[in-house]
Amino acid sequence: MLRVCIIGGSGHYRYVLEGLDKRARLVGFAPGSDGEDIGKLKAALADNKLDATQYEDWQTMLDICQPDIVAINCHFGDHGLLNIDSLKRGLHVFSEKPVATTLGELATLRAAHAASGKCFSAMFGIRYKPWFLTAHEAVKAGRIGEIRLMQAQKSYKLGTRPAFFATRGTYGGTIPWVGSHAVDWVRWLSGEEFKSVFATQSTRHNQHNGQLEVSAQCQFTLGKEICASVSIDYLRPATANSHDDDRIRIVGTEGVLEVREKNVLLIDAKTPGVQTLAQSPEKSIFSEFIDEVLGTGKCMVSADDAFAVTQASLLARQSADESKLLSFV
Amino acid sequence: MLRVCIIGGSGHYRYVLEGLDKRARLVGFAPGSDGEDIGKLKAALADNKLDATQYEDWQTMLDICQPDIVAINCHFGDHGLLNIDSLKRGLHVFSEKPVATTLGELATLRAAHAASGKCFSAMFGIRYKPWFLTAHEAVKAGRIGEIRLMQAQKSYKLGTRPAFFATRGTYGGTIPWVGSHAVDWVRWLSGEEFKSVFATQSTRHNQHNGQLEVSAQCQFTLGKEICASVSIDYLRPATANSHDDDRIRIVGTEGVLEVREKNVLLIDAKTPGVQTLAQSPEKSIFSEFIDEVLGTGKCMVSADDAFAVTQASLLARQSADESKLLSFV
């Protein structure tokens, strides 16, 4: 049975808890960042009746537990360092996104992964929601023809954020944290690589959250002259009926497909009006990651996906920081 | 009674026909561009039982008819020249947008208008639709607080376009022609001026329409670090239930307002869930223009609005042509 450790409780450790099955056992957990609060993770483990050992220090934990897989979701600014360290230890790594928060760290991480021969994936788990799986299937089946234009949206309630969100060094920025999901959808659904990005962001009206950007937009160009806008905000009213308002509209030569309010809406060239597509069942990203580790399958979010989307998000952040159009090399 | 002439039949002359009342009478019409087909205009006049004289040449018509108001909607590349000429003749001008298709012509037009003391407006008639009027009222009433982010969309069916759409010189480009409506909404609803734009466009899959761009996106920054994306396409399937799919989403500090499928949807900080706002009645842009000419009121689309939005659209087109971030001066 595979041995799993969780480092940190600041991200989507729930993907791990939901994906654990008889092939893998959680053996230990520890904070991954200075002063990280892992109280919610601890409570979630208790709720799920998962009996794992708590460690004060992740390095000690890895030394003692000798896990096969480590899931990393500490303060986002530490993801890169811990990912690199874990790969060098010969562990399979399931990382919260962004998988690094500087381009230099990302380059080191890519090299560490290439040298390791180990599995690596990132928590782009929204792909596995029925509405996104269904959108992907419809696009790949050619139901909208050749993609020409995409508009993606992430909108979150701000609520009360942990203190580490207020500092770029520990948080990494809103484009990499919130926006990278939408950056991932754009690349995954189009099947094209990024060519250039111009982005903008603002910290105004951030409710005293320091350097946290509450609004941002990115304009990507991909292969085949596909354009893709990504809109990001933390301004969804507290009164709204869900935490997030994830959307994408994909315009192709033979139709238009939208994901909105968990529906998949299609206008194609054959059928009058708007069709609401029947949805494929949800899947588990961590369960797929176990498949990949065991060699019995592939995780839909590959290491290359994780690296390319992180690079795109970091270049978008740099574009916004410098107010400059940036090309991908 | 005011005397009105229409030059050209390639744009939204219907605004004039719908706005005519006992204060104004249509006296003449003529093509405005070489080889312009005004057959549809002629048929519309007959349908509306409007008895006006047809002229072969717009200059002859203006000399003979001596109108008070001229409405111009010929091939878009000729708008600037005809607007300038008409203002110099001392006429009030109601122009199709874009009101010019080069920045040089626009500067000459601004000067001609300033020197003329005459009324000038552009056919940004979508503002007058109940859903946009209602959105504007809600925003101005402060129902979403301070605006931070906007996403506007224009999506049209391509259908069969006249030949002049296939050449930049006569057409002017898709960002100025289709996109300028959305550029207008962004400026009008935010009440802020543009600071910079990065835009992209593509002619791929344009169904043999020469230089016509069928997809484009613009990323604007306005005052107060407001970001606004504008997405434009001619890819709406022929099977869709309307010609266009106009939308805007406006995210503020106190709520989110959307115009979509002719509805105005509001999530504010006070009321749980999504509210569908009751809509104000439609108004007539040309009727308001007559008010302005008579001094009994103001047209909601001012000359400054027309010039600023045209400038922004032309700068966006230039940004896309040159793949360069451009600042407004």
Side-chain angles (χ1 to χ4, degrees):
Chain A
M1 190 183 282
L2 296 171
R3 295 166 62 79
V4 180
C5 281
I6 296 178
I7 301 178
S10 298
H12 296 89
Y13 54 78
R14 287 185 181 277
Y15 289 138
V16 177
L17 308 193
E18 289 160 9
L20 283 171
D21 55 30
K22 60 188 176 187
R23 300 172 301 166
R25 188 164 64 92
L26 185 66
V27 293
F29 65 100
S33 301
D34 283 349
E36 188 185 8
D37 175 8
I38 59 165
K40 282 186 182 171
L41 167 61
K42 220 171 145 177
L45 295 179
D47 285 350
N48 286 272
K49 304 201 188 335
L50 285 166
D51 184 26
T53 307
Q54 179 173 357
Y55 294 85
E56 291 308 306
D57 174 74
W58 62 271
Q59 286 156 310
T60 308
M61 173 175 73
L62 297 184
D63 288 341
I64 295 173
C65 290
Q66 296 288 318
D68 302 287
I69 295 173
V70 59
I72 293 169
N73 73 130
C74 52
H75 294 176
F76 318 145
D78 291 327
H79 290 162
L81 190 73
L82 271 67
N83 284 332
I84 293 163
D85 186 281
S86 299
L87 286 169
K88 285 187 174 167
R89 284 171 182 260
L91 308 180
H92 301 291
V93 178
F94 183 60
S95 171
E96 180 58 279
K97 43 80 205 165
V99 302
T101 52
T102 69
L103 289 167
E105 228 173 38
L106 179 62
T108 309
L109 173 58
R110 271 187 204 262
H113 174 254
S116 74
K118 297 296 170 183
C119 299
F120 185 86
S121 186
M123 299 185 192
F124 290 115
I126 299 176
R127 281 196 195 185
Y128 291 76
K129 291 290 178 190
W131 39 97
F132 278 101
L133 286 177
T134 303
H136 187 252
E137 288 158 8
V139 167
K140 293 303 151 190
R143 296 189 70 174
I144 61 168
E146 301 279 320
I147 292 177
R148 303 304 313 139
L149 178 151
M150 310 171 91
Q151 297 151 265
Q153 173 183 306
K154 292 290 299 176
S155 177
Y156 281 172
K157 294 180 183 176
L158 181 58
T160 305
R161 297 282 161 173
F164 81 87
F165 275 62
T167 305
R168 173 64 72 88
T170 47
Y171 172 57
T174 293
I175 294 175
W177 173 239
V178 179
S180 59
H181 284 294
V183 175
D184 178 54
W185 305 335
V186 161
R187 181 174 170 277
W188 176 52
L189 290 162
S190 71
E192 292 293 326
E193 295 296 336
F194 295 106
K195 301 294 181 189
S196 71
V197 64
F198 176 71
T200 179
Q201 60 195 2
S202 175
T203 61
R204 291 201 191 186
H205 295 279
N206 74 357
Q207 309 292 332
H208 309 292
N209 280 283
Q211 298 173 320
L212 179 93
E213 304 91 357
V214 286
S215 56
Q217 289 184 331
C218 313
Q219 179 63 61
F220 289 99
T221 301
L222 296 98
K224 299 182 182 164
E225 296 181 10
I226 296 171
C227 54
S229 66
V230 170
S231 186
I232 307 155
D233 72 77
Y234 270 117
L235 292 159
R236 187 158 167 80
T239 49
N241 63 1
S242 62
H243 168 63
D244 52 13
D245 186 6
D246 287 347
R247 303 187 196 181
I248 194 162
R249 177 171 175 268
I250 313 168
V251 178
T253 53
E254 305 292 330
V256 177
L257 186 140
E258 284 190 75
V259 173
R260 197 170 78 209
E261 289 160 2
K262 304 186 180 179
N263 290 311
V264 185
L265 308 171
L266 173 69
I267 306 176
D268 66 21
K270 295 168 200 154
T271 318
V274 180
Q275 303 164 62
T276 302
L277 301 189
Q279 296 188 11
S280 301
E282 184 157 354
K283 297 202 291 180
S284 160
I285 183 171
F286 190 65
S287 177
E288 273 198 2
F289 187 70
I290 294 174
D291 283 334
E292 182 159 329
V293 168
L294 293 172
T296 55
K298 281 281 178 194
C299 184
M300 190 163 50
V301 180
S302 71
D304 274 353
D305 292 348
F307 300 143
V309 171
T310 301
Q311 186 197 9
S313 303
L314 295 179
L315 274 180
R317 182 188 71 182
Q318 183 184 340
S319 168
D321 284 344
E322 299 176 357
S323 196
K324 218 190 238 175
L325 174 67
L326 295 178
S327 292
F328 289 66
V329 284
Chain B
M1 189 184 285
L2 296 170
R3 297 166 60 80
V4 180
C5 282
I6 295 179
I7 302 179
S10 299
H12 296 88
Y13 54 78
R14 287 188 180 276
Y15 289 138
V16 177
L17 308 193
E18 290 160 8
L20 283 170
D21 55 30
K22 58 189 174 185
R23 301 173 299 166
R25 186 164 65 91
L26 185 68
V27 292
F29 65 100
S33 303
D34 284 349
E36 189 186 10
D37 175 8
I38 58 164
K40 282 187 183 171
L41 167 63
K42 220 171 146 177
L45 295 179
D47 286 350
N48 287 273
K49 303 201 188 331
L50 286 165
D51 185 26
T53 307
Q54 179 172 356
Y55 295 84
E56 291 307 306
D57 174 74
W58 62 271
Q59 285 155 310
T60 308
M61 173 175 73
L62 297 185
D63 289 341
I64 294 172
C65 290
Q66 297 286 319
D68 303 287
I69 295 174
V70 60
I72 292 169
N73 72 131
C74 52
H75 293 176
F76 318 145
D78 291 326
H79 290 163
L81 190 73
L82 270 67
N83 284 332
I84 293 163
D85 186 280
S86 300
L87 287 169
K88 285 188 174 166
R89 284 170 181 261
L91 308 180
H92 302 289
V93 178
F94 182 59
S95 170
E96 179 59 279
K97 43 81 204 169
V99 301
T101 54
T102 68
L103 289 167
E105 228 173 37
L106 179 62
T108 308
L109 174 58
R110 272 188 204 261
H113 173 255
S116 73
K118 296 296 169 184
C119 300
F120 185 86
S121 185
M123 299 186 190
F124 291 114
I126 299 176
R127 281 196 195 185
Y128 291 76
K129 292 289 178 190
W131 39 98
F132 278 101
L133 285 177
T134 303
H136 187 252
E137 288 158 9
V139 166
K140 293 302 151 192
R143 296 190 71 176
I144 61 167
E146 301 279 321
I147 292 176
R148 303 305 312 137
L149 178 151
M150 309 172 90
Q151 298 150 265
Q153 174 183 306
K154 293 290 299 176
S155 177
Y156 281 172
K157 294 179 182 176
L158 181 58
T160 305
R161 298 281 161 174
F164 80 87
F165 275 63
T167 305
R168 172 64 74 87
T170 47
Y171 173 56
T174 293
I175 294 174
W177 173 240
V178 181
S180 60
H181 285 293
V183 174
D184 178 53
W185 306 335
V186 161
R187 181 174 171 277
W188 175 53
L189 290 162
S190 71
E192 292 292 327
E193 295 295 336
F194 295 105
K195 300 296 181 188
S196 70
V197 64
F198 175 72
T200 178
Q201 61 195 1
S202 174
T203 61
R204 291 202 190 186
H205 295 277
N206 73 357
Q207 308 292 332
H208 310 292
N209 279 283
Q211 299 173 319
L212 178 93
E213 303 91 357
V214 285
S215 56
Q217 289 184 330
C218 313
Q219 178 64 61
F220 289 100
T221 301
L222 295 100
K224 299 183 183 163
E225 297 182 8
I226 295 171
C227 55
S229 66
V230 170
S231 185
I232 307 155
D233 71 80
Y234 269 118
L235 293 159
R236 186 158 168 79
T239 50
N241 63 0
S242 63
H243 169 64
D244 53 12
D245 185 7
D246 287 346
R247 302 187 195 181
I248 194 162
R249 178 172 175 266
I250 314 168
V251 178
T253 54
E254 306 291 330
V256 177
L257 186 139
E258 282 190 76
V259 173
R260 199 171 76 210
E261 290 160 3
K262 304 185 179 180
N263 290 311
V264 185
L265 308 171
L266 173 68
I267 305 175
D268 66 19
K270 295 168 200 153
T271 319
V274 180
Q275 302 165 63
T276 301
L277 300 189
Q279 296 187 13
S280 299
E282 184 156 354
K283 298 203 290 182
S284 160
I285 183 170
F286 189 66
S287 177
E288 272 198 1
F289 186 71
I290 293 174
D291 284 333
E292 182 159 330
V293 168
L294 293 173
T296 54
K298 281 281 178 194
C299 184
M300 189 163 51
V301 179
S302 71
D304 274 352
D305 291 348
F307 300 143
V309 170
T310 300
Q311 185 197 11
S313 303
L314 296 179
L315 274 179
R317 183 188 70 182
Q318 183 184 339
S319 168
D321 285 345
E322 299 175 357
S323 195
K324 220 190 236 175
L325 174 68
L326 295 177
S327 291
F328 289 67
V329 283

